[in-house]
Amino acid sequence: MDSTLILIPISPAELIDRVTILQLKKERISDAEKLTHIERELKMLEEKIGNLLDSSKLRKLTEALRDANARIWEGEELIRAHWKDNEKVLAASRLSHAGNDERFRIKFEINLLLGSEITEVKSHQR
């Protein structure tokens, strides 16, 4: 095992979230060197997901989480592309924040479904 690899307990939702983000990166990034790193991490994490309860509810939540992460990605890309256009940046920020709020809600549902002892909390209300 890699001596720089740090193993920590995380919630099931964090694991699923990370996998969905890596899947998006694998689809959207074309740089070969970056893809090597993405695919390596994705393979390691997908092996761990196999240990989770498999259900249609979990599959639906995972797909919803992936969709939320895609919206966040798109919002962040729009912000970068239109950095000097305040109206476009504001609209893109709203898209990103809405996706992030949805992401938080879905991760909470996943952790609840799987009885996780670890759950994410936010300081703001939504």
Side-chain angles (χ1 to χ4, degrees):
M1 181 174 287
D2 184 349
S3 64
T4 62
L5 192 63
I6 300 169
L7 302 176
I8 61 167
I10 62 169
S11 71
E14 282 298 322
L15 174 60
I16 293 168
D17 183 51
R18 183 70 185 151
V19 166
T20 64
I21 291 168
L22 288 166
Q23 290 168 340
L24 289 167
K25 286 181 177 186
K26 185 177 175 182
E27 292 171 7
R28 297 176 183 203
I29 293 175
S30 58
D31 181 280
E33 186 177 337
K34 290 178 181 179
L35 281 171
T36 299
H37 294 286
I38 291 165
E39 289 169 351
R40 183 182 319 126
E41 183 179 355
L42 182 58
K43 182 181 177 189
M44 284 190 291
L45 297 182
E46 283 178 333
E47 290 173 1
K48 299 298 181 187
I49 281 187
N51 298 333
L52 296 177
L53 172 70
D54 186 26
S55 69
S56 61
K57 172 96 172 151
L58 182 58
R59 282 189 296 278
K60 285 180 184 178
L61 288 169
T62 299
E63 190 57 37
L65 184 57
R66 181 181 160 80
D67 291 344
N69 280 325
R71 282 193 304 279
I72 294 165
W73 181 299
E74 290 156 11
E76 294 299 316
E77 289 296 310
L78 286 170
I79 290 168
R80 287 178 186 88
H82 302 287
W83 187 245
K84 294 184 179 186
D85 185 333
N86 289 341
E87 287 184 34
K88 288 183 179 178
V89 167
L90 181 59
S93 294
R94 286 185 177 131
L95 176 68
S96 183
H97 281 277
N100 212 6
D101 289 345
E102 181 69 3
R103 177 177 175 240
F104 172 74
R105 185 192 63 73
I106 295 164
K107 287 168 61 177
F108 181 83
E109 284 187 50
I110 290 171
N111 284 331
L112 188 64
L113 174 68
L114 298 177
S116 178
E117 293 179 41
I118 300 173
T119 190
E120 184 177 0
V121 296
K122 297 280 186 181
S123 62
H124 59 274
Q125 303 295 317
R126 275 283 180 193

